[in-house]
């Protein structure tokens, strides 16, 4: 009997030992599989980064990994100027990765071969996850030659790098615990702990909405917003209207009473009712040659809302009578494309900036040019101060200049060591008329303060100058448009990284990043009456958004 019992014990022990060997083998196989998966994910991340670093555009793949719905074939997007005399020729000719931004649109073959940007890259089959940004409208054309929609960039000085795993998710933890003693079960298949928060500073594009708490994000059908985890959330944002166009939307602007928003696109300016989102007027000069493209680069309403000024690639400024849909006045004089316009509050003067190196001020009552200011390089953006005394301009030479409109004297040149390191593409005055913000291809926004008026000490000649107040860093690509809200409480910026960010001008912190377009955000405009802002993009859409206090 004892012999039989011993044999049975030996059999059981042998079977247990065999089972333990099987367990250890299974554990070893799982650990190897985890390592293989991690290497696979690292390879995907490396390839994605290489594609982005080479300026690769988004491929024709939707967020869910399926091709988007087909759309009507669109004409080629607008380049920033044309021909060998084009002031942007130097930028357009430089390929990516050689010290200057390459803005030449890639070929169709390149678009099909290169991978999609972050937040749109298909997930590996092991863990397919669909994010909140799942719109199905057609892949938009490249705008202004901006092919790549995402670039790898440092988070900025003093900010930690993002150590998340590829595809915006935390890396798979290694399960390499040693066996505590023979016969014990290995530690297999435990659920992964919640991902740890990574401090990305103001680079909110590095945050994955899927990993954020519900109070740190807001999601719509084809858009999302993330809120800076480092600061108290005080704003909320929501989509009001989606305004579909047939071409790239180069500019957006509200009327002074906030009832209408105007957009500029290929060959036409369009006006929409802010309340309903319906188009109420389309302004198009039918006398212009129908061949080729003619993009409207800038639009602005007169203060009384009767007129809309448009600036285009044909070097003409047209002042439209909105009600009659007729051209009241045409101003000719610029020798290259017009990139920016602004109406003075007096309703009489219009400032324009052009690639011909000039800022000009026009009088619509006398139908004549009243001031021409020449600088060393192309003018990309202009703004008139609220009191009408000053006109500011940004240029390809990295400078912001401010002139006195009455005398034509320059009162401030904002550049040098504190200035931008690349071309300035957008300037805007604050409501006090003494503060300016500027956005640049160096991916930053800067806030400037004009110095006190020194006319009394200079024998009647004004020489004010200005100082840098703050630099806002966080965008991952060119900053194409900037503005201040009417109350001066927030700085808005739109970027080639497709994001719109709200910045606190007192601290320099970003409050939120809105991803609401599938191509560069070329234009942002706050509503003069508050609570709304508009965006225009290379995805052939303008959108009206509402912002306000967070009541979470």
């Amino acid at each position: 009997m004892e012999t039989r019992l011993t044999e049975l014990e030996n059999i059981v022990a042998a079977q247990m030992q065999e089972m333990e060997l099987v367990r250890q083998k299974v554990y070893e196989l799982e650990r190897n599989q985890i390592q293989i998966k991690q290497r696979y994910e690292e390879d995907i991340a490396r390839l994605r980064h290489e594609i982005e670093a080479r300026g690769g555009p988004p491929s024709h793949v939707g967020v869910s990994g399926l091709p988007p719905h087909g759309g009507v074939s669109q004409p080629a997007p607008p380049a920033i100027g044309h021909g060998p005399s084009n002031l942007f020729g130097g930028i357009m000719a430089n390929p990516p990765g050689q010290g200057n931004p390459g803005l030449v649109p890639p070929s169709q073959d390149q678009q099909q071969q290169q991978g999609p940007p972050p937040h749109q890259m298909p997930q590996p089959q092991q863990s397919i996850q669909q994010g909140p940004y799942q719109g199905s409208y057609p892949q938009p054309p490249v705008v202004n030659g901006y092919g790549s929609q995402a670039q790898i960039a440092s988070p900025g000085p003093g900010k930690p790098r993002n150590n998340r795993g590829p595809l915006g998710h935390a890396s798979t933890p290694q399960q390499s615990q040693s066996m505590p003693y023979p016969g014990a079960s290995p530690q297999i298949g435990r659920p992964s702990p919640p991902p740890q928060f990574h401090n990305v500073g103001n680079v909110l594009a590095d945050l994955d909405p899927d990993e954020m708490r519900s109070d740190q994000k807001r999601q719509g059908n084809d858009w999302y917003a993330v809120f800076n985890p480092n600061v108290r959330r005080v704003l909320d944002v929501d989509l009001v209207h989606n305004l579909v166009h047939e071409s790239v939307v180069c500019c957006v602007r509200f009327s002074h009473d906030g009832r209408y928003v105007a957009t500029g696109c290929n060959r036409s300016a369009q006006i929409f009712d802010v309340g309903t989102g319906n188009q109420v007027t389309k302004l198009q000069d039918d006398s212009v040659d129908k061949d080729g493209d003619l993009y409207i680069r800038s639009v602005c309403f007169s203060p009384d809302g009767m007129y809309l000024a448009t600036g285009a690639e044909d070097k003409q400024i047209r002042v439209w009578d909105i009600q009659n849909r007729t051209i009241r006045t045409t101003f000719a004089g610029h020798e290259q494309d017009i990139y920016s316009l602004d109406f003075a509050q007096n309703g009489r003067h219009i400032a324009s900036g052009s690639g011909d190196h000039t800022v000009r001020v026009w009088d619509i009552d006398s139908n004549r040019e009243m001031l021409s200011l020449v600088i060393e390089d192309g003018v990309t953006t202009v703004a008139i101060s609220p009191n009408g005394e000053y006109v500011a301009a940004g240029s390809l030479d990295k400078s912001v200049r401010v002139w006195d409109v009455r005398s034509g004297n320059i009162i401030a040149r904002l550049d040098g060591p504190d200035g931008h390191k690349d071309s300035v593409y957008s300037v805007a005055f604050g409501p006090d008329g003494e503060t300016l913000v500027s956005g640049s291809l160096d991916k930053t926004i800067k806030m400037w303060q004009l110095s006190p008026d020194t006319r009394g000490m200079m024998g009647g000649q004004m020489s004010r100058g200005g100082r840098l107040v703050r630099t806002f860093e966080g965008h991952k690509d060119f900053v194409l448009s900037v503005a201040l809200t009417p109350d001066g409480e927030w700085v808005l910026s739109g970027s080639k990284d497709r994001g719109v960010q709200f910045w606190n001008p007192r601290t320099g912190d970003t409050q939120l990043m809105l991803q609401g377009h599938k191509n560069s955000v070329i234009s942002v405009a706050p509503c003069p009456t508050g609570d709304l802002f508009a965006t225009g993009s290379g995805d052939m859409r303008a959108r009206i958004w509402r912002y306000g206090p967070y009541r979470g």
Side-chain angles (χ1 to χ4, degrees):
M1 186 65 180
E2 290 181 0
T3 303
R4 181 60 179 168
L5 183 59
T6 301
E7 290 176 355
L8 290 174
E9 288 177 349
N10 290 337
I11 292 172
V12 170
Q15 290 178 344
M16 289 182 64
Q17 185 177 10
E18 185 176 354
M19 288 178 63
E20 191 57 48
L21 290 174
V22 171
R23 286 182 183 179
Q24 291 182 18
K25 185 63 175 179
V26 169
Y27 171 63
E28 188 67 27
L29 289 172
E30 181 174 359
R31 187 169 62 180
N32 291 339
Q33 189 271 339
I34 290 172
Q35 292 173 347
I36 292 171
K37 179 181 177 182
Q38 185 180 29
R39 286 196 298 271
Y40 168 75
E41 291 176 341
E42 289 172 351
D43 287 342
I44 289 179
R46 178 179 55 78
L47 292 171
R48 186 193 70 189
H49 292 174
E50 288 178 2
I51 290 171
E52 293 167 354
R54 294 172 184 171
S59 66
H60 294 276
V61 178
V63 176
S64 63
L66 300 175
H69 295 297
V72 179
S73 176
Q74 296 296 330
I80 311 182
H82 301 287
S85 62
N86 161 29
L87 70 100
F88 291 90
I91 293 179
M92 296 290 287
N94 285 326
Q98 296 187 7
N100 286 300
L103 305 186
V104 178
S107 66
Q108 292 296 323
D109 291 340
Q110 289 174 321
Q111 292 186 26
Q112 293 175 1
Q113 292 173 1
Q114 293 172 325
H119 298 304
Q120 284 194 308
M121 191 165 187
Q123 305 289 339
Q125 294 182 359
Q126 290 93 328
S127 57
I128 296 178
Q129 297 187 15
Q130 295 185 359
Y133 197 70
Q134 297 184 25
S136 59
Y137 50 84
Q139 185 71 23
V142 182
V143 61
N144 289 348
Y146 301 143
S148 170
Q149 292 302 320
Q151 294 184 356
I152 303 304
S154 167
K159 300 182 180 68
R161 290 186 175 271
N162 176 18
N163 294 320
R164 288 184 290 110
L167 309 178
H169 296 279
S171 299
T172 305
Q174 292 287 335
Q175 298 185 7
S176 57
Q177 298 91 338
S178 60
M179 299 288 289
Y181 54 87
S185 299
Q187 305 295 315
I188 300 177
R190 291 195 175 189
S192 300
Q196 294 183 351
F197 167 68
H198 297 279
N199 183 6
V200 299
N202 284 332
V203 189
L204 301 190
D206 282 345
L207 294 174
D208 184 351
D210 292 338
E211 295 183 357
M212 302 187 71
R213 301 195 311 262
S214 60
D215 63 321
Q216 295 176 339
K217 60 186 175 182
R218 181 75 185 269
Q219 297 178 193
N221 290 333
D222 61 352
W223 63 271
Y224 69 88
V226 291
F227 297 84
N228 191 344
N230 293 320
V231 300
R232 184 171 67 92
R233 178 178 174 182
V234 297
L235 284 182
D236 204 356
V237 65
D238 199 6
L239 178 64
V240 179
H241 294 301
N242 182 39
L243 312 177
V244 180
H245 292 66
E246 296 179 354
S247 66
V248 169
V249 179
C250 296
C251 50
V252 291
R253 202 75 168 265
F254 281 93
S255 61
H256 286 245
D257 60 8
R259 295 175 58 194
Y260 302 100
V261 66
T263 63
C265 53
N266 191 18
R267 295 195 164 271
S268 70
Q270 301 176 37
I271 299 176
F272 297 83
D273 185 291
V274 170
T276 65
N278 295 329
Q279 183 189 111
V280 295
T281 302
K282 183 176 182 179
L283 305 173
Q284 183 168 334
D285 188 352
D286 293 326
S287 67
V288 176
D289 187 353
K290 300 297 190 295
D291 293 335
D293 295 328
L294 180 62
Y295 278 87
I296 308 299
R297 298 291 189 176
S298 184
V299 294
C300 60
F301 285 93
S302 61
D304 60 10
M306 293 179 59
Y307 306 115
L308 184 76
T310 63
E313 294 178 323
D314 64 356
K315 314 168 191 175
Q316 305 288 316
I317 300 169
R318 296 170 177 83
V319 182
W320 293 84
D321 181 313
I322 296 173
Q323 184 173 359
N324 297 319
R325 284 188 286 186
T326 58
I327 298 175
R328 177 192 186 277
T329 304
T330 299
F331 291 118
H334 280 297
E335 298 176 2
Q336 289 193 28
D337 299 9
I338 296 165
Y339 295 109
S340 183
L341 296 174
D342 199 15
F343 236 115
Q345 292 287 352
N346 62 13
R348 180 174 178 176
H349 298 146
I350 299 172
S352 60
S354 166
D356 63 7
H357 300 199
T358 66
V359 174
R360 303 185 190 220
V361 180
W362 313 82
D363 188 317
I364 68 169
D365 287 349
S366 62
N367 292 332
R368 67 180 181 87
E369 177 187 303
M370 58 174 288
L371 185 64
S372 180
L373 306 164
V374 182
I375 65 170
E376 295 85 2
D377 214 332
V379 178
T380 56
T381 173
V382 295
I384 297 178
S385 63
N387 61 11
E389 291 187 6
Y390 311 128
V391 59
S395 169
L396 293 180
D397 66 4
K398 312 173 189 177
S399 297
V400 176
R401 295 172 176 83
V402 184
W403 294 268
D404 179 87
V405 171
R406 290 165 295 186
S407 66
N409 294 328
I410 189 166
I411 64 168
R413 178 165 176 165
L414 310 172
D415 54 11
D418 289 336
H420 286 290
K421 303 301 186 287
D422 209 333
S423 303
V424 177
Y425 264 38
S426 182
V427 295
F429 276 97
D432 61 3
E434 304 290 317
T435 304
L436 289 119
V437 289
S438 56
S440 168
L441 299 190
D442 67 8
K443 309 177 188 176
T444 71
I445 303 106
K446 290 182 182 286
M447 175 173 281
W448 308 89
Q449 182 74 36
L450 294 179
S451 302
D453 190 339
T454 57
R455 275 179 288 189
M457 295 182 289
M458 300 293 291
Q461 181 179 357
M462 179 180 289
S463 177
R464 297 189 61 177
R467 67 178 181 88
L468 177 67
V469 177
R470 184 164 286 106
T471 298
F472 304 86
E473 295 181 89
H475 277 296
K476 301 194 75 170
D477 217 321
F478 307 150
V479 177
L480 304 176
S481 184
V482 294
L484 279 144
T485 54
D487 56 10
E489 290 295 309
W490 300 99
V491 174
L492 276 70
S493 59
S495 169
K496 187 190 162 200
D497 65 13
R498 309 182 187 188
V500 174
Q501 295 196 200
F502 273 66
W503 307 82
N504 185 328
R506 292 168 296 280
T507 65
D509 293 324
T510 186
Q511 167 74 192
L512 67 89
M513 181 203 65
L514 170 67
Q515 283 282 338
H517 287 282
K518 293 191 174 182
N519 208 307
S520 301
V521 178
I522 308 170
S523 182
V524 296
C527 180
T529 58
D531 299 333
L532 299 174
F533 67 98
T535 55
S537 170
D539 65 5
M540 300 177 287
R541 278 160 167 73
R543 288 187 156 186
I544 299 174
W545 308 84
R546 176 173 286 107
Y547 70 98
Y550 176 58
R551 308 190 186 281

